[in-house]
Amino acid sequence: MKSEHKNAIVADKIATVILYCIAGFFLLLLAGFTAYIIVKGIMAYQPGIFSFERTGIGVELFNTVYLVLISLIISVPIGVGAGIYMAEYAKAGKVTNYLRICIETLSSLPSIVIGLFGYLVFIYMTGSKYNLFAGALAVSILSLPLLTTVTEDAIRAVPSIYKEGSLAVGATHWQTIVQICLPVATPRIITGVILAAGRGFGEAAALLYTAGMSSNVNLNIWNPFDPMSLLCPFRPGDTLALHIWALKTESMTPNADQIANFSAAVLLVLIFAFSLGSRLLGARLDRKMSGK
Amino acid sequence: MNKKIKFNTKNLDLYYGDFQALKSINLEIYEKEVTAFIGPSGCGKSTFLRCLNRMNDLIDSVKIEGEIIFEGQDINGDIDVINLRTRVGMVFQKPNPFPMSIYENIAYGPKCQGVKDKTQLDTLVKESLVKAALWEEVKDRLNKSALGLSGGQQQRLCIARAIAMQPEVILMDEPTSALDPIATAKIEDLMSKLKKDYTIIIVTHSMQQAGRISDKTAFFLMGEVVEFNETPVIFTNPADKRTEDYITGRFG
Ligand SMILES: Nc1ncnc2c1ncn2[C@@H]1O[C@H](COP(=O)(O)OP(=O)(O)O)[C@@H](O)[C@H]1O
Ligand SMILES: [Mg+2]
């Protein structure tokens, strides 16, 4: 009896140490990668690298942010709407189960498949050239399942006492969802949006045949309807991730490696800044609601 | 002396799936009185209370038979549920203010009914808080989050939130079970004032509380109403042996 107890304590200690080791290993790995990318990026810095000319990555940086923004504008309302439907309206049954299988399948499709689907539907069938908007649509398809599931979980996690309190003063189901459930669920939904945006920032395969691998803009044109304008979403545009890939595989420029390394660091910082910003926003909303 | 009947149930049965939680309940709730429901936990008090504002609609498995007449209308028939809930307010066991400001908590219900006028809302908020004996404590912090209030204050806020709808009936499900004795005393005080204007139905696990504040008491046991009478009668001269056993603490 006594020794059994001792064994349990030893086992507990060993398990703790092992878990710490695994966690530490991954933390180290992550820190190593990050440091490697950042250091290589800094070393590759050269004046004018942010320029919007051919030698700089200004256009690619802009494209990346622009494409992610457009895709969020498309995917967040649809994903959140679908999540609300799944949490609040979908009745348990065959149709809902089928829908759930569809969402799960969609979430595990390789992004190149989505890219080719995007090419077929948004480029080939519409007869248009590669363009940022088509890329944004492809990325939206990629992030929709995630946004839907996160929203559904977030809405389901809203304490039922809030919902009951709202219905008890004569609010309708819809009023309750919009004015009580959604605000309470927002911090969690924001986490989903960060993840979705992360997919957009890092995506390459889905953009290959939708947004295209090059940009051709004239910085003197500011009319967003002109396909040569930087602001036009219906022009071909390569994002940073794709740019890195292109530079590393088939570029003729002599300092392609340098630019790729620097781009990688910029992309990393961009994603970090976006996550941090969204999290701060979420924390602020949270604080406002809890009155701390 | 001839008080009006507000709620009247006839042979009310309620099932959660196959489980029968209420068995042929016949009760009359009189206007501008406090009616208390007592009984061991799990005997169906909350279930019955939640029938009166159709809160059980939220639970898919619930099936109801029999009638619940409110002001001459069967509320399980084809009625406007939203309208019913504005006339029959509810206060829950755990204080549940919304995660918004004190002001917004009270203005929420009226706003959902389409009240937009700022001055009208202002007066409504103030009047409700005054009636719920909370105004003096919060008048300087109306725009602060309601979650920063103490438990007792939160519960009075929930009462104010119900009052803001100008209801006829207020249902309370063990409203003081999460509160300390001082906060409890304040709420009990409040209830005896509120019964001048409202019909109050309260579920309580405390027999002393029922004795202190209620005019009539119903004793529930395993889904049935064993006895329903004037509170003093229930406590001093119960007709049923089971009521007496419960009152004297011999079970439950
Ligand atoms: N949502 C539900 N689904 C199934 N059974 C329930 C549900 N809510 C309550 N019950 C059952 O109904 C009975 C009465 O519950 P309740 O009305 O909450 O009792 P009380 O409020 O008197 O403690 C209990 O046996 C309880 O387990
Ligand atoms: Mg109960």
Side-chain angles (χ1 to χ4, degrees), chain B residues 16 19 21 40-47 59:
Chain B
Y16 290 111
F19 172 71
S41 80
C43 64
K45 306 178 298 288
S46 300
T47 301
I59 303 166

Side-chain angles (χ1 to χ4, degrees), chain B residues 193-206:
Chain B
K193 289 200 189 91
L194 289 177
K195 79 171 185 184
K196 280 200 281 298
D197 299 317
Y198 308 96
T199 305
I200 296 178
I201 307 173
I202 177 173
V203 171
T204 173
H205 61 274
S206 147

Side-chain angles (χ1 to χ4, degrees), chain B residues 14 16-17 19-22 39-48 50 59 61-62 93 173-174 203 220:
Chain B
L14 183 144
Y16 290 111
F19 172 71
Q20 183 168 12
L22 296 178
S41 80
C43 64
K45 306 178 298 288
S46 300
T47 301
F48 180 71
R50 291 163 59 92
I59 303 166
S61 66
V62 165
Q93 184 163 359
D173 193 351
E174 305 196 21
V203 171
F220 279 70

